[in-house]
Amino acid sequence: EAGVTQSPTHLIKTRGQQATLRCSPISGHTSVYWYQQALGLGLQFLLWYDEGEERNRGNFPPRFSGRQFPNYSSELNVNALELEDSALYLCASSPGLAGEIAFFGPGTRLTVL
Amino acid sequence: SQQGEEDPQALSIQEGENATMNCSYKTSINNLQWYRQNSGRGLVHLILIRSNEREKHSGRLRVTLDTSKKSSSLLITASRAADTASYFCATDTSGGSYIPTFGRGTSLIVHP
């Protein structure tokens, strides 16, 4: 069974640009979570999607947004990139609202120059 | 703010020794989970303990949960160099929505 996949592996952007990160959950999982892991700050919860709807978002500005597609894959968009957006962005999936274990992808390393 | 906080932030031991890391959290939980992260990669789920359980084992891992103190500990016995990684605890909340909330992790280095 394929795990959670994320693309791209690495992404380099300049300040002010937009970044799009993608995530494909494990087959059958309907929930997708996005986390930001900046150096030394642990995992910060960004967004949670389930069944195509945004269920919750963390304490991040509106320039962090995303969506979940009918096949449950998800996209994270970061507009007007700032230097402090440089981080590892992790996607996780779980079987749905009752899911108890989140399965993580390998992450996308975003570098903003 | 983080729901769970791991302690210590860093731990350095010799192969064969036991490693103990702790996690404290703030609000009531349904369950608590431990994850492992190898350098710069995704997290791997290790073990889940429910709020009505006090202790759980999985191979060389032993997890305890004390809901009265809002704390958990992860013990890795007979550690190996391959156990070198960061370890995170994650809690859900009891508010009906399942959102794994992580601490900052404990960085474990096991010297061969």
PDB file of all heavy atoms in Angstrom, chain A residues 5-40:
ATOM      1  N   THR A   5       2.233  10.736  -0.166  1.00  0.00           N
ATOM      2  CA  THR A   5       3.265  11.306  -1.024  1.00  0.00           C
ATOM      3  C   THR A   5       3.120  12.811  -1.081  1.00  0.00           C
ATOM      4  O   THR A   5       2.000  13.346  -0.978  1.00  0.00           O
ATOM      5  CB  THR A   5       3.211  10.714  -2.445  1.00  0.00           C
ATOM      6  OG1 THR A   5       1.935  10.999  -3.019  1.00  0.00           O
ATOM      7  CG2 THR A   5       3.422   9.208  -2.419  1.00  0.00           C
ATOM      8  N   GLN A   6       4.246  13.480  -1.231  1.00  0.00           N
ATOM      9  CA  GLN A   6       4.253  14.932  -1.331  1.00  0.00           C
ATOM     10  C   GLN A   6       5.161  15.350  -2.478  1.00  0.00           C
ATOM     11  O   GLN A   6       6.171  14.722  -2.742  1.00  0.00           O
ATOM     12  CB  GLN A   6       4.762  15.579  -0.035  1.00  0.00           C
ATOM     13  CG  GLN A   6       3.824  15.415   1.134  1.00  0.00           C
ATOM     14  CD  GLN A   6       4.289  16.195   2.352  1.00  0.00           C
ATOM     15  OE1 GLN A   6       4.631  15.613   3.383  1.00  0.00           O
ATOM     16  NE2 GLN A   6       4.287  17.521   2.241  1.00  0.00           N
ATOM     17  N   SER A   7       4.777  16.438  -3.123  1.00  0.00           N
ATOM     18  CA  SER A   7       5.623  16.997  -4.182  1.00  0.00           C
ATOM     19  C   SER A   7       5.531  18.512  -4.170  1.00  0.00           C
ATOM     20  O   SER A   7       4.509  19.071  -3.760  1.00  0.00           O
ATOM     21  CB  SER A   7       5.189  16.446  -5.547  1.00  0.00           C
ATOM     22  OG  SER A   7       3.869  16.868  -5.846  1.00  0.00           O
ATOM     23  N   PRO A   8       6.607  19.199  -4.561  1.00  0.00           N
ATOM     24  CA  PRO A   8       7.917  18.612  -4.839  1.00  0.00           C
ATOM     25  C   PRO A   8       8.664  18.294  -3.547  1.00  0.00           C
ATOM     26  O   PRO A   8       8.198  18.629  -2.464  1.00  0.00           O
ATOM     27  CB  PRO A   8       8.611  19.731  -5.613  1.00  0.00           C
ATOM     28  CG  PRO A   8       8.033  20.982  -5.026  1.00  0.00           C
ATOM     29  CD  PRO A   8       6.591  20.654  -4.704  1.00  0.00           C
ATOM     30  N   THR A   9       9.825  17.686  -3.659  1.00  0.00           N
ATOM     31  CA  THR A   9      10.642  17.402  -2.486  1.00  0.00           C
ATOM     32  C   THR A   9      11.267  18.687  -1.968  1.00  0.00           C
ATOM     33  O   THR A   9      11.328  18.912  -0.756  1.00  0.00           O
ATOM     34  CB  THR A   9      11.742  16.391  -2.839  1.00  0.00           C
ATOM     35  OG1 THR A   9      11.126  15.224  -3.379  1.00  0.00           O
ATOM     36  CG2 THR A   9      12.550  16.011  -1.607  1.00  0.00           C
ATOM     37  N   HIS A  10      11.766  19.476  -2.891  1.00  0.00           N
ATOM     38  CA  HIS A  10      12.377  20.762  -2.551  1.00  0.00           C
ATOM     39  C   HIS A  10      11.779  21.842  -3.444  1.00  0.00           C
ATOM     40  O   HIS A  10      11.434  21.572  -4.602  1.00  0.00           O
ATOM     41  CB  HIS A  10      13.902  20.727  -2.750  1.00  0.00           C
ATOM     42  CG  HIS A  10      14.612  19.807  -1.818  1.00  0.00           C
ATOM     43  ND1 HIS A  10      14.864  18.489  -2.135  1.00  0.00           N
ATOM     44  CD2 HIS A  10      15.109  19.998  -0.577  1.00  0.00           C
ATOM     45  CE1 HIS A  10      15.506  17.916  -1.132  1.00  0.00           C
ATOM     46  NE2 HIS A  10      15.658  18.797  -0.175  1.00  0.00           N
ATOM     47  N   LEU A  11      11.670  23.035  -2.882  1.00  0.00           N
ATOM     48  CA  LEU A  11      11.122  24.156  -3.631  1.00  0.00           C
ATOM     49  C   LEU A  11      11.858  25.415  -3.188  1.00  0.00           C
ATOM     50  O   LEU A  11      11.943  25.695  -1.994  1.00  0.00           O
ATOM     51  CB  LEU A  11       9.625  24.284  -3.346  1.00  0.00           C
ATOM     52  CG  LEU A  11       8.788  25.252  -4.178  1.00  0.00           C
ATOM     53  CD1 LEU A  11       8.892  24.923  -5.661  1.00  0.00           C
ATOM     54  CD2 LEU A  11       7.340  25.205  -3.722  1.00  0.00           C
ATOM     55  N   ILE A  12      12.401  26.108  -4.163  1.00  0.00           N
ATOM     56  CA  ILE A  12      13.109  27.355  -3.869  1.00  0.00           C
ATOM     57  C   ILE A  12      12.373  28.502  -4.539  1.00  0.00           C
ATOM     58  O   ILE A  12      12.120  28.463  -5.751  1.00  0.00           O
ATOM     59  CB  ILE A  12      14.576  27.300  -4.356  1.00  0.00           C
ATOM     60  CG1 ILE A  12      15.317  26.167  -3.650  1.00  0.00           C
ATOM     61  CG2 ILE A  12      15.275  28.632  -4.090  1.00  0.00           C
ATOM     62  CD1 ILE A  12      16.731  25.955  -4.147  1.00  0.00           C
ATOM     63  N   LYS A  13      12.023  29.494  -3.750  1.00  0.00           N
ATOM     64  CA  LYS A  13      11.281  30.655  -4.246  1.00  0.00           C
ATOM     65  C   LYS A  13      11.941  31.918  -3.714  1.00  0.00           C
ATOM     66  O   LYS A  13      12.752  31.879  -2.778  1.00  0.00           O
ATOM     67  CB  LYS A  13       9.825  30.606  -3.770  1.00  0.00           C
ATOM     68  CG  LYS A  13       9.019  29.458  -4.343  1.00  0.00           C
ATOM     69  CD  LYS A  13       8.629  29.716  -5.769  1.00  0.00           C
ATOM     70  CE  LYS A  13       7.701  28.651  -6.297  1.00  0.00           C
ATOM     71  NZ  LYS A  13       7.268  28.935  -7.701  1.00  0.00           N
ATOM     72  N   THR A  14      11.559  33.019  -4.303  1.00  0.00           N
ATOM     73  CA  THR A  14      12.032  34.298  -3.786  1.00  0.00           C
ATOM     74  C   THR A  14      10.885  35.009  -3.070  1.00  0.00           C
ATOM     75  O   THR A  14       9.698  34.713  -3.299  1.00  0.00           O
ATOM     76  CB  THR A  14      12.592  35.197  -4.907  1.00  0.00           C
ATOM     77  OG1 THR A  14      11.587  35.358  -5.906  1.00  0.00           O
ATOM     78  CG2 THR A  14      13.841  34.581  -5.519  1.00  0.00           C
ATOM     79  N   ARG A  15      11.264  35.920  -2.227  1.00  0.00           N
ATOM     80  CA  ARG A  15      10.283  36.651  -1.420  1.00  0.00           C
ATOM     81  C   ARG A  15       9.242  37.304  -2.319  1.00  0.00           C
ATOM     82  O   ARG A  15       9.580  37.892  -3.350  1.00  0.00           O
ATOM     83  CB  ARG A  15      11.012  37.700  -0.593  1.00  0.00           C
ATOM     84  CG  ARG A  15      10.226  38.265   0.566  1.00  0.00           C
ATOM     85  CD  ARG A  15      11.103  39.097   1.470  1.00  0.00           C
ATOM     86  NE  ARG A  15      11.912  40.061   0.737  1.00  0.00           N
ATOM     87  CZ  ARG A  15      12.797  40.867   1.307  1.00  0.00           C
ATOM     88  NH1 ARG A  15      13.007  40.795   2.604  1.00  0.00           N
ATOM     89  NH2 ARG A  15      13.490  41.712   0.599  1.00  0.00           N
ATOM     90  N   GLY A  16       7.981  37.198  -1.934  1.00  0.00           N
ATOM     91  CA  GLY A  16       6.905  37.794  -2.703  1.00  0.00           C
ATOM     92  C   GLY A  16       6.240  36.838  -3.682  1.00  0.00           C
ATOM     93  O   GLY A  16       5.110  37.086  -4.129  1.00  0.00           O
ATOM     94  N   GLN A  17       6.925  35.750  -4.023  1.00  0.00           N
ATOM     95  CA  GLN A  17       6.340  34.776  -4.952  1.00  0.00           C
ATOM     96  C   GLN A  17       5.310  33.909  -4.245  1.00  0.00           C
ATOM     97  O   GLN A  17       5.067  34.021  -3.039  1.00  0.00           O
ATOM     98  CB  GLN A  17       7.446  33.898  -5.547  1.00  0.00           C
ATOM     99  CG  GLN A  17       8.318  34.586  -6.566  1.00  0.00           C
ATOM    100  CD  GLN A  17       9.246  33.600  -7.257  1.00  0.00           C
ATOM    101  OE1 GLN A  17       9.878  32.754  -6.603  1.00  0.00           O
ATOM    102  NE2 GLN A  17       9.344  33.699  -8.569  1.00  0.00           N
ATOM    103  N   GLN A  18       4.681  33.033  -5.037  1.00  0.00           N
ATOM    104  CA  GLN A  18       3.713  32.082  -4.510  1.00  0.00           C
ATOM    105  C   GLN A  18       4.282  30.680  -4.605  1.00  0.00           C
ATOM    106  O   GLN A  18       5.011  30.362  -5.552  1.00  0.00           O
ATOM    107  CB  GLN A  18       2.404  32.146  -5.308  1.00  0.00           C
ATOM    108  CG  GLN A  18       1.350  31.170  -4.815  1.00  0.00           C
ATOM    109  CD  GLN A  18       0.265  30.889  -5.857  1.00  0.00           C
ATOM    110  OE1 GLN A  18       0.527  30.828  -7.054  1.00  0.00           O
ATOM    111  NE2 GLN A  18      -0.965  30.708  -5.405  1.00  0.00           N
ATOM    112  N   ALA A  19       3.925  29.853  -3.633  1.00  0.00           N
ATOM    113  CA  ALA A  19       4.355  28.455  -3.652  1.00  0.00           C
ATOM    114  C   ALA A  19       3.135  27.549  -3.568  1.00  0.00           C
ATOM    115  O   ALA A  19       2.163  27.860  -2.857  1.00  0.00           O
ATOM    116  CB  ALA A  19       5.288  28.161  -2.476  1.00  0.00           C
ATOM    117  N   THR A  20       3.187  26.459  -4.323  1.00  0.00           N
ATOM    118  CA  THR A  20       2.123  25.455  -4.281  1.00  0.00           C
ATOM    119  C   THR A  20       2.728  24.108  -3.938  1.00  0.00           C
ATOM    120  O   THR A  20       3.644  23.645  -4.626  1.00  0.00           O
ATOM    121  CB  THR A  20       1.388  25.371  -5.629  1.00  0.00           C
ATOM    122  OG1 THR A  20       0.772  26.625  -5.905  1.00  0.00           O
ATOM    123  CG2 THR A  20       0.316  24.288  -5.573  1.00  0.00           C
ATOM    124  N   LEU A  21       2.228  23.508  -2.897  1.00  0.00           N
ATOM    125  CA  LEU A  21       2.706  22.214  -2.436  1.00  0.00           C
ATOM    126  C   LEU A  21       1.555  21.211  -2.556  1.00  0.00           C
ATOM    127  O   LEU A  21       0.403  21.563  -2.302  1.00  0.00           O
ATOM    128  CB  LEU A  21       3.169  22.287  -0.977  1.00  0.00           C
ATOM    129  CG  LEU A  21       4.460  23.057  -0.644  1.00  0.00           C
ATOM    130  CD1 LEU A  21       4.355  24.541  -0.961  1.00  0.00           C
ATOM    131  CD2 LEU A  21       4.812  22.847   0.820  1.00  0.00           C
ATOM    132  N   ARG A  22       1.892  19.979  -2.890  1.00  0.00           N
ATOM    133  CA  ARG A  22       0.871  18.976  -3.130  1.00  0.00           C
ATOM    134  C   ARG A  22       1.034  17.752  -2.251  1.00  0.00           C
ATOM    135  O   ARG A  22       2.154  17.396  -1.874  1.00  0.00           O
ATOM    136  CB  ARG A  22       0.856  18.584  -4.606  1.00  0.00           C
ATOM    137  CG  ARG A  22       0.483  19.745  -5.521  1.00  0.00           C
ATOM    138  CD  ARG A  22       0.495  19.366  -6.981  1.00  0.00           C
ATOM    139  NE  ARG A  22       0.071  20.503  -7.799  1.00  0.00           N
ATOM    140  CZ  ARG A  22       0.877  21.491  -8.189  1.00  0.00           C
ATOM    141  NH1 ARG A  22       2.150  21.469  -7.849  1.00  0.00           N
ATOM    142  NH2 ARG A  22       0.401  22.483  -8.922  1.00  0.00           N
ATOM    143  N   CYS A  23      -0.093  17.112  -1.969  1.00  0.00           N
ATOM    144  CA  CYS A  23      -0.098  15.952  -1.080  1.00  0.00           C
ATOM    145  C   CYS A  23      -1.138  14.941  -1.566  1.00  0.00           C
ATOM    146  O   CYS A  23      -2.278  15.316  -1.868  1.00  0.00           O
ATOM    147  CB  CYS A  23      -0.433  16.411   0.343  1.00  0.00           C
ATOM    148  SG  CYS A  23      -0.738  15.070   1.516  1.00  0.00           S
ATOM    149  N   SER A  24      -0.738  13.689  -1.624  1.00  0.00           N
ATOM    150  CA  SER A  24      -1.684  12.613  -1.928  1.00  0.00           C
ATOM    151  C   SER A  24      -1.773  11.697  -0.724  1.00  0.00           C
ATOM    152  O   SER A  24      -0.763  11.142  -0.289  1.00  0.00           O
ATOM    153  CB  SER A  24      -1.217  11.815  -3.149  1.00  0.00           C
ATOM    154  OG  SER A  24      -1.319  12.587  -4.314  1.00  0.00           O
ATOM    155  N   PRO A  25      -2.962  11.544  -0.155  1.00  0.00           N
ATOM    156  CA  PRO A  25      -3.104  10.726   1.052  1.00  0.00           C
ATOM    157  C   PRO A  25      -3.077   9.241   0.732  1.00  0.00           C
ATOM    158  O   PRO A  25      -3.122   8.842  -0.430  1.00  0.00           O
ATOM    159  CB  PRO A  25      -4.468  11.147   1.580  1.00  0.00           C
ATOM    160  CG  PRO A  25      -5.246  11.505   0.348  1.00  0.00           C
ATOM    161  CD  PRO A  25      -4.243  12.127  -0.592  1.00  0.00           C
ATOM    162  N   ILE A  26      -3.032   8.464   1.779  1.00  0.00           N
ATOM    163  CA  ILE A  26      -3.150   7.017   1.628  1.00  0.00           C
ATOM    164  C   ILE A  26      -4.542   6.702   1.085  1.00  0.00           C
ATOM    165  O   ILE A  26      -5.528   7.349   1.474  1.00  0.00           O
ATOM    166  CB  ILE A  26      -2.916   6.321   2.982  1.00  0.00           C
ATOM    167  CG1 ILE A  26      -1.434   6.460   3.384  1.00  0.00           C
ATOM    168  CG2 ILE A  26      -3.339   4.858   2.955  1.00  0.00           C
ATOM    169  CD1 ILE A  26      -1.123   5.979   4.772  1.00  0.00           C
ATOM    170  N   SER A  27      -4.606   5.740   0.205  1.00  0.00           N
ATOM    171  CA  SER A  27      -5.881   5.359  -0.393  1.00  0.00           C
ATOM    172  C   SER A  27      -6.897   5.025   0.690  1.00  0.00           C
ATOM    173  O   SER A  27      -6.625   4.244   1.613  1.00  0.00           O
ATOM    174  CB  SER A  27      -5.673   4.148  -1.307  1.00  0.00           C
ATOM    175  OG  SER A  27      -6.904   3.720  -1.846  1.00  0.00           O
ATOM    176  N   GLY A  28      -8.082   5.640   0.582  1.00  0.00           N
ATOM    177  CA  GLY A  28      -9.131   5.406   1.569  1.00  0.00           C
ATOM    178  C   GLY A  28      -9.168   6.424   2.694  1.00  0.00           C
ATOM    179  O   GLY A  28     -10.149   6.488   3.437  1.00  0.00           O
ATOM    180  N   HIS A  29      -8.099   7.206   2.833  1.00  0.00           N
ATOM    181  CA  HIS A  29      -8.087   8.254   3.849  1.00  0.00           C
ATOM    182  C   HIS A  29      -8.758   9.506   3.311  1.00  0.00           C
ATOM    183  O   HIS A  29      -8.474   9.937   2.200  1.00  0.00           O
ATOM    184  CB  HIS A  29      -6.655   8.587   4.263  1.00  0.00           C
ATOM    185  CG  HIS A  29      -6.021   7.539   5.117  1.00  0.00           C
ATOM    186  ND1 HIS A  29      -4.813   7.747   5.752  1.00  0.00           N
ATOM    187  CD2 HIS A  29      -6.425   6.279   5.451  1.00  0.00           C
ATOM    188  CE1 HIS A  29      -4.511   6.662   6.440  1.00  0.00           C
ATOM    189  NE2 HIS A  29      -5.458   5.760   6.260  1.00  0.00           N
ATOM    190  N   THR A  30      -9.628  10.088   4.135  1.00  0.00           N
ATOM    191  CA  THR A  30     -10.343  11.280   3.684  1.00  0.00           C
ATOM    192  C   THR A  30      -9.833  12.554   4.341  1.00  0.00           C
ATOM    193  O   THR A  30     -10.132  13.646   3.886  1.00  0.00           O
ATOM    194  CB  THR A  30     -11.845  11.142   3.989  1.00  0.00           C
ATOM    195  OG1 THR A  30     -12.028  11.039   5.405  1.00  0.00           O
ATOM    196  CG2 THR A  30     -12.440   9.921   3.302  1.00  0.00           C
ATOM    197  N   SER A  31      -9.080  12.422   5.426  1.00  0.00           N
ATOM    198  CA  SER A  31      -8.564  13.603   6.132  1.00  0.00           C
ATOM    199  C   SER A  31      -7.120  13.876   5.746  1.00  0.00           C
ATOM    200  O   SER A  31      -6.300  12.953   5.693  1.00  0.00           O
ATOM    201  CB  SER A  31      -8.621  13.400   7.652  1.00  0.00           C
ATOM    202  OG  SER A  31      -9.854  13.781   8.179  1.00  0.00           O
ATOM    203  N   VAL A  32      -6.827  15.150   5.517  1.00  0.00           N
ATOM    204  CA  VAL A  32      -5.465  15.597   5.237  1.00  0.00           C
ATOM    205  C   VAL A  32      -5.134  16.752   6.171  1.00  0.00           C
ATOM    206  O   VAL A  32      -5.929  17.685   6.332  1.00  0.00           O
ATOM    207  CB  VAL A  32      -5.313  16.046   3.772  1.00  0.00           C
ATOM    208  CG1 VAL A  32      -3.968  16.733   3.567  1.00  0.00           C
ATOM    209  CG2 VAL A  32      -5.442  14.858   2.831  1.00  0.00           C
ATOM    210  N   TYR A  33      -3.966  16.665   6.779  1.00  0.00           N
ATOM    211  CA  TYR A  33      -3.467  17.721   7.667  1.00  0.00           C
ATOM    212  C   TYR A  33      -2.198  18.302   7.068  1.00  0.00           C
ATOM    213  O   TYR A  33      -1.383  17.582   6.510  1.00  0.00           O
ATOM    214  CB  TYR A  33      -3.123  17.159   9.048  1.00  0.00           C
ATOM    215  CG  TYR A  33      -4.240  16.410   9.738  1.00  0.00           C
ATOM    216  CD1 TYR A  33      -4.436  15.057   9.506  1.00  0.00           C
ATOM    217  CD2 TYR A  33      -5.088  17.066  10.629  1.00  0.00           C
ATOM    218  CE1 TYR A  33      -5.452  14.364  10.132  1.00  0.00           C
ATOM    219  CE2 TYR A  33      -6.110  16.380  11.268  1.00  0.00           C
ATOM    220  CZ  TYR A  33      -6.284  15.025  11.013  1.00  0.00           C
ATOM    221  OH  TYR A  33      -7.292  14.349  11.644  1.00  0.00           O
ATOM    222  N   TRP A  34      -2.028  19.600   7.257  1.00  0.00           N
ATOM    223  CA  TRP A  34      -0.783  20.265   6.864  1.00  0.00           C
ATOM    224  C   TRP A  34      -0.128  20.863   8.094  1.00  0.00           C
ATOM    225  O   TRP A  34      -0.799  21.465   8.939  1.00  0.00           O
ATOM    226  CB  TRP A  34      -1.054  21.382   5.856  1.00  0.00           C
ATOM    227  CG  TRP A  34      -1.398  20.919   4.485  1.00  0.00           C
ATOM    228  CD1 TRP A  34      -2.636  20.752   3.951  1.00  0.00           C
ATOM    229  CD2 TRP A  34      -0.475  20.574   3.449  1.00  0.00           C
ATOM    230  NE1 TRP A  34      -2.544  20.319   2.646  1.00  0.00           N
ATOM    231  CE2 TRP A  34      -1.221  20.211   2.315  1.00  0.00           C
ATOM    232  CE3 TRP A  34       0.927  20.545   3.362  1.00  0.00           C
ATOM    233  CZ2 TRP A  34      -0.637  19.824   1.112  1.00  0.00           C
ATOM    234  CZ3 TRP A  34       1.512  20.156   2.167  1.00  0.00           C
ATOM    235  CH2 TRP A  34       0.738  19.794   1.055  1.00  0.00           C
ATOM    236  N   TYR A  35       1.187  20.683   8.173  1.00  0.00           N
ATOM    237  CA  TYR A  35       1.976  21.224   9.272  1.00  0.00           C
ATOM    238  C   TYR A  35       3.188  21.959   8.711  1.00  0.00           C
ATOM    239  O   TYR A  35       3.735  21.578   7.681  1.00  0.00           O
ATOM    240  CB  TYR A  35       2.481  20.121  10.208  1.00  0.00           C
ATOM    241  CG  TYR A  35       1.410  19.421  10.997  1.00  0.00           C
ATOM    242  CD1 TYR A  35       0.747  18.326  10.452  1.00  0.00           C
ATOM    243  CD2 TYR A  35       1.057  19.847  12.268  1.00  0.00           C
ATOM    244  CE1 TYR A  35      -0.245  17.668  11.172  1.00  0.00           C
ATOM    245  CE2 TYR A  35       0.071  19.187  13.000  1.00  0.00           C
ATOM    246  CZ  TYR A  35      -0.565  18.109  12.446  1.00  0.00           C
ATOM    247  OH  TYR A  35      -1.543  17.460  13.162  1.00  0.00           O
ATOM    248  N   GLN A  36       3.595  22.983   9.461  1.00  0.00           N
ATOM    249  CA  GLN A  36       4.848  23.667   9.145  1.00  0.00           C
ATOM    250  C   GLN A  36       5.847  23.338  10.232  1.00  0.00           C
ATOM    251  O   GLN A  36       5.542  23.411  11.423  1.00  0.00           O
ATOM    252  CB  GLN A  36       4.626  25.189   9.099  1.00  0.00           C
ATOM    253  CG  GLN A  36       5.892  25.974   8.770  1.00  0.00           C
ATOM    254  CD  GLN A  36       5.741  27.452   9.075  1.00  0.00           C
ATOM    255  OE1 GLN A  36       5.642  27.847  10.227  1.00  0.00           O
ATOM    256  NE2 GLN A  36       5.729  28.281   8.038  1.00  0.00           N
ATOM    257  N   GLN A  37       7.039  22.942   9.820  1.00  0.00           N
ATOM    258  CA  GLN A  37       8.101  22.661  10.788  1.00  0.00           C
ATOM    259  C   GLN A  37       9.293  23.548  10.463  1.00  0.00           C
ATOM    260  O   GLN A  37      10.131  23.216   9.634  1.00  0.00           O
ATOM    261  CB  GLN A  37       8.505  21.192  10.774  1.00  0.00           C
ATOM    262  CG  GLN A  37       9.479  20.828  11.897  1.00  0.00           C
ATOM    263  CD  GLN A  37       9.848  19.358  11.900  1.00  0.00           C
ATOM    264  OE1 GLN A  37       9.826  18.692  10.880  1.00  0.00           O
ATOM    265  NE2 GLN A  37      10.184  18.837  13.083  1.00  0.00           N
ATOM    266  N   ALA A  38       9.325  24.691  11.124  1.00  0.00           N
ATOM    267  CA  ALA A  38      10.475  25.580  10.981  1.00  0.00           C
ATOM    268  C   ALA A  38      11.538  25.139  11.969  1.00  0.00           C
ATOM    269  O   ALA A  38      11.247  24.474  12.966  1.00  0.00           O
ATOM    270  CB  ALA A  38      10.057  27.027  11.229  1.00  0.00           C
ATOM    271  N   LEU A  39      12.764  25.537  11.717  1.00  0.00           N
ATOM    272  CA  LEU A  39      13.883  25.079  12.528  1.00  0.00           C
ATOM    273  C   LEU A  39      13.655  25.425  13.987  1.00  0.00           C
ATOM    274  O   LEU A  39      13.436  26.580  14.344  1.00  0.00           O
ATOM    275  CB  LEU A  39      15.164  25.733  12.010  1.00  0.00           C
ATOM    276  CG  LEU A  39      16.470  25.077  12.457  1.00  0.00           C
ATOM    277  CD1 LEU A  39      16.530  23.646  11.948  1.00  0.00           C
ATOM    278  CD2 LEU A  39      17.656  25.881  11.952  1.00  0.00           C
ATOM    279  N   GLY A  40      13.704  24.397  14.852  1.00  0.00           N
ATOM    280  CA  GLY A  40      13.618  24.616  16.287  1.00  0.00           C
ATOM    281  C   GLY A  40      12.242  24.929  16.835  1.00  0.00           C
ATOM    282  O   GLY A  40      12.113  25.179  18.034  1.00  0.00           O
TER     283      GLY A  40
END
